[in-house]
Amino acid sequence: MEIAVVGTGEFILGFRLAGVKKTYAAETDERLVEHINQVLGDKDIGILVLKGSDMERVPLRLRTTLENSVKPTVIAIGGEEGGLSMRERIKRSVGVDLWK
């Protein structure tokens, strides 16, 4: 399983420096949606990281898909996370509550 990061050049830079290979720069809303759809179609990606403010820029239908996605698990950093805590997202993707 791989990690993918979609966002502005500044947002993805730190992930690239940390060794994440699948980073996608999206400066416009159209590119953001395009890259997210590309990541959703990649079966090797297990986690998709987005900025919380970018999640709000995504059309409602795609946002709902992202919020309900198990594979890849979507993590929004900063801002709202679709109403789910990190604990709930991990529980949904792994199948057990690791904090118990």
Side-chain angles (χ1 to χ4, degrees), residues 45-49 69-75 89-90 92-93:
I45 296 175
I47 298 174
L48 168 59
V49 179
S69 177
V70 174
K71 185 174 184 282
T73 298
V74 179
I75 306 296
R89 290 184 180 278
I90 292 171
R92 185 191 306 171
S93 64

Side-chain angles (χ1 to χ4, degrees), residues 7-19:
T8 62
E10 295 85 23
F11 180 72
I12 67 170
L13 180 61
F15 292 96
R16 291 181 78 176
L17 292 172

Side-chain angles (χ1 to χ4, degrees), residues 60-73:
L60 183 59
R61 178 178 237 161
L62 181 56
R63 188 177 329 144
T64 302
T65 300
L66 294 173
E67 290 170 353
N68 294 321
S69 177
V70 174
K71 185 174 184 282
T73 298

Side-chain angles (χ1 to χ4, degrees), residues 2 7 16-20 22 24 28 41 43 46 59 61 64-65 68 76-77 83 86 89 95-97:
E2 293 189 57
R16 291 181 78 176
L17 292 172
V20 176
K22 295 196 175 190
Y24 304 93
T28 65
K43 301 300 179 196
R61 178 178 237 161
T64 302
T65 300
N68 294 321
I77 297 177
M86 183 69 70
R89 290 184 180 278
V96 294
D97 188 351

Side-chain angles (χ1 to χ4, degrees), residues 76-94:
I77 297 177
E80 288 295 316
E81 293 186 30
L84 294 177
S85 67
M86 183 69 70
R87 179 179 181 173
E88 284 299 315
R89 290 184 180 278
I90 292 171
K91 182 178 173 184
R92 185 191 306 171
S93 64
V94 175

Side-chain angles (χ1 to χ4, degrees), residues 8-55:
T8 62
E10 295 85 23
F11 180 72
I12 67 170
L13 180 61
F15 292 96
R16 291 181 78 176
L17 292 172
V20 176
K21 294 180 178 114
K22 295 196 175 190
T23 57
Y24 304 93
E27 302 298 334
T28 65
D29 291 352
E30 293 79 22
R31 295 289 290 173
L32 181 67
V33 170
E34 179 182 319
H35 288 310
I36 289 172
N37 285 323
Q38 180 181 352
V39 168
L40 290 175
D42 188 338
K43 301 300 179 196
D44 292 330
I45 296 175
I47 298 174
L48 168 59
V49 179
L50 295 167
K51 192 173 183 181
S53 59
D54 287 343
M55 185 78 149

